[in-house]
Amino acid sequence: LLPMNSNNSSKLSKAISSPSSEEVEFEFVMLDQPEFQLLGADSFQWKLDCGDELVVPLKAVFSSGGIYNLQSVRLTIFDTHKSKSRNDSSGAKVTKKVPYLFPLQWLIKVHDSNGSVL
């Protein structure tokens, strides 16, 4: 079992929301990976207030040495605002789902018990 340290933990902050809002609501999902297993929260929905940060602790289990991309996170931001449609004068709230993909890979090099990378 290899613990993911705080540098590799999934950190979410206000930076992913619009600067004018006071909170961001999102869904966090860990996608299945055939090469390794991630232990921890695999999905949840959460709200963060402006300036708050969330750390999602995970552990990765590898069956053999190799180079792996740990980027398995899918975020969906819920953008809720009042309707501005001409057909809707009630000002009802409308929620738009905005997918967020991390632009970088999280690569890790794993050595097997013989010290080699397969």
Side-chain angles (χ1 to χ4, degrees):
L1 238 42
L2 297 176
M4 296 176 68
N5 65 28
S6 60
N7 293 335
N8 292 333
S9 295
S10 302
K11 290 187 177 184
L12 307 175
S13 69
K14 192 61 187 164
I16 60 176
S17 71
S18 64
S20 62
S21 65
E22 295 179 10
E23 66 183 13
V24 61
E25 182 177 0
F26 62 93
E27 178 183 46
F28 173 95
V29 175
M30 291 300 299
L31 304 174
D32 286 332
Q33 294 290 337
E35 300 90 16
F36 58 90
Q37 181 181 9
L38 289 170
L39 304 176
D42 59 357
S43 68
F44 60 86
Q45 194 167 329
W46 200 264
K47 280 186 185 180
L48 286 177
D49 289 327
C50 182
D52 284 354
E53 191 174 88
L54 175 68
V55 176
V56 181
L58 299 167
K59 291 188 180 206
V61 179
F62 302 92
S63 59
S64 64
I67 297 177
Y68 299 93
N69 179 10
L70 297 180
Q71 175 47 283
S72 301
V73 176
R74 183 186 75 207
L75 291 179
T76 302
I77 309 300
F78 297 102
D79 182 13
T80 303
H81 56 280
K82 288 186 178 181
S83 174
K84 295 181 181 176
S85 169
R86 281 186 255 143
N87 300 333
D88 183 6
S89 60
S90 68
K93 289 189 176 182
V94 175
T95 300
K96 179 173 63 171
K97 293 181 179 182
V98 181
Y100 180 82
L101 301 173
F102 289 93
L104 302 174
Q105 294 180 342
W106 301 342
L107 296 179
I108 186 170
K109 184 178 184 180
V110 177
H111 295 272
D112 64 13
S113 59
N114 298 326
S116 62
V117 177
L118 300 175

